[in-house]
Amino acid sequence: MSELVVEGLRASVQGKVILDGVDLVVRSGEVHAIMGPNGSGKSTLSHVLAGRPGYAVLGGSATIDGVELLGLPAWKRAEAGLFLAMQYPTEVPGVAVKDMLTASRATDTDSDSIYARMEAEAERIGFSAKFLDRPLNVDLSGGEKKRNETLQLGVLKPKFAILDELDSGLDVDALRMVSRRVEEETKESGLGVIAITHYSRLFDELQPDVVHIFARGRIVETGGPKLADELEDTGYEKWAGTDKPEVVATADPFADPLA
Ligand code: ADP
Ligand code: MG
């Protein structure tokens, strides 16, 4: 049993506080949905947890089984068991999916068996194995990129996965296969999931244990799976609030001192 614990996480980007006290505990096998208005900081949360540069962490902690993630480079966070399926997967010309996955320490066995695993994963989500030889995400459709992310998840077998709008760009059939695959992983490998989405249809196959509403940089309400359906009817107005983002001093050495 593993535990991802986020406590009092605060972070800013370009001097603007985006995450303002995020508290969240996810255990192995659990699926936590995060739903909230555009611009509330959901992707920022996923980036700050995964270690994308450009964000200033102002306070709090994020641990997997007691290992502090904040301050580690992204690859060490991956090694600690964290995986991020990005809202906008990055295109990496010149690096084939199969080479990227073979190079990962999580697949540090003989390359034939890794390739067989990749092919098996591709098949499980209806993804052609020909994509394994193509450069990572280059010239893929939105839906193909999301399947590519899911394939990596299945091969790398992280302890925890953040899925940032995995459903965006997927047609209904692809959505069903991908969300079913993630659900299976929660059962087969005890994967813990943070699923950021706007649409409860992601949860036809993937069964959330908890639904969080994220607004103004923090979790403002937590409920059961029914909350996802309610939100589709009511929207987020009740939680949107009107408070202005806090501005913090930046340590920008090139800032104009007279400005
Ligand atoms: P969500 O995923 O909930 O739609 P985001 O986390 O992408 O929201 O963005 C939260 C806020 O942070 C938005 O106002 C966005 O414009 C701002 N933001 C995110 N990244 C940057 C950045 N690199 N520079 C400036 N502002 C940013
Ligand atoms: Mg987002």
Side-chain angles (χ1 to χ4, degrees):
M1 169 67 79
S2 288
E3 219 175 36
L4 169 66
V5 180
V6 180
E7 269 175 348
L9 182 58
R10 297 184 80 239
S12 66
V13 63
Q14 298 193 350
K16 198 168 93 173
V17 176
I18 309 292
L19 300 183
D20 199 8
V22 182
D23 295 301
L24 181 65
V25 178
V26 183
R27 296 181 186 82
S28 294
E30 290 180 352
V31 176
H32 289 241
I34 292 188
M35 306 179 82
N38 290 323
S40 57
K42 304 180 301 297
S43 291
T44 301
L45 174 63
S46 70
H47 296 154
V48 168
L49 290 177
R52 180 177 174 173
Y55 299 88
V57 174
L58 306 173
S61 72
T63 59
I64 290 181
D65 298 335
V67 175
E68 179 62 59
L69 302 177
L70 304 179
L72 296 179
W75 67 270
K76 284 203 171 170
R77 301 183 196 209
E79 217 168 58
L82 188 68
F83 178 91
L84 168 63
M86 287 182 277
Q87 181 172 5
Y88 304 108
T90 308
E91 298 188 7
V92 189
V95 179
V97 183
K98 69 164 197 277
D99 296 331
M100 193 271 292
L101 285 173
T102 309
S104 161
R105 287 202 206 178
T107 51
D108 194 8
T109 48
D110 77 277
S111 52
D112 285 351
S113 73
I114 298 161
Y115 197 75
R117 266 170 61 197
M118 289 179 212
E119 284 185 317
E121 279 300 325
E123 171 136 19
R124 285 180 81 162
I125 54 169
F127 198 46
S128 168
K130 71 171 192 249
F131 288 109
L132 295 171
D133 298 306
R134 299 248 307 251
L136 188 61
N137 291 320
V138 176
D139 293 330
L140 300 194
S141 74
E144 285 163 351
K145 286 180 182 171
K146 296 307 175 98
R147 281 207 254 208
N148 209 344
E149 298 283 292
T150 311
L151 179 135
Q152 292 161 40
L153 168 68
V155 172
L156 294 172
K157 299 223 179 291
K159 292 179 183 163
F160 294 97
I162 307 170
L163 314 175
D164 193 355
E165 300 200 21
L166 187 66
D167 45 357
S168 71
L170 286 176
D171 62 47
V172 283
D173 296 327
L175 176 62
R176 191 178 325 108
M177 286 180 126
V178 159
S179 51
R180 185 181 296 163
R181 183 67 194 94
V182 178
E183 172 69 18
E184 285 165 357
E185 217 32 42
T186 66
K187 304 257 161 45
E188 289 173 16
S189 312
L191 175 72
V193 177
I194 297 174
I196 298 168
T197 184
H198 288 295
Y199 303 105
S200 59
R201 64 175 183 226
L202 177 69
F203 306 126
D204 290 345
E205 297 284 341
L206 179 63
Q207 302 298 314
D209 299 286
V210 186
V211 175
H212 305 282
I213 299 173
F214 197 92
R216 293 169 285 133
R218 64 180 93 99
I219 290 170
V220 292
E221 183 151 340
T222 294
K226 285 207 182 74
L227 188 54
D229 300 319
E230 279 171 39
L231 280 173
E232 274 201 7
D233 300 334
T234 62
Y236 302 115
E237 208 172 330
K238 194 169 133 195
W239 294 279
T242 52
D243 44 343
K244 298 239 177 347
E246 184 187 340
V247 176
V248 291
T250 46
D252 179 355
F254 302 106
D256 180 353
L258 304 176

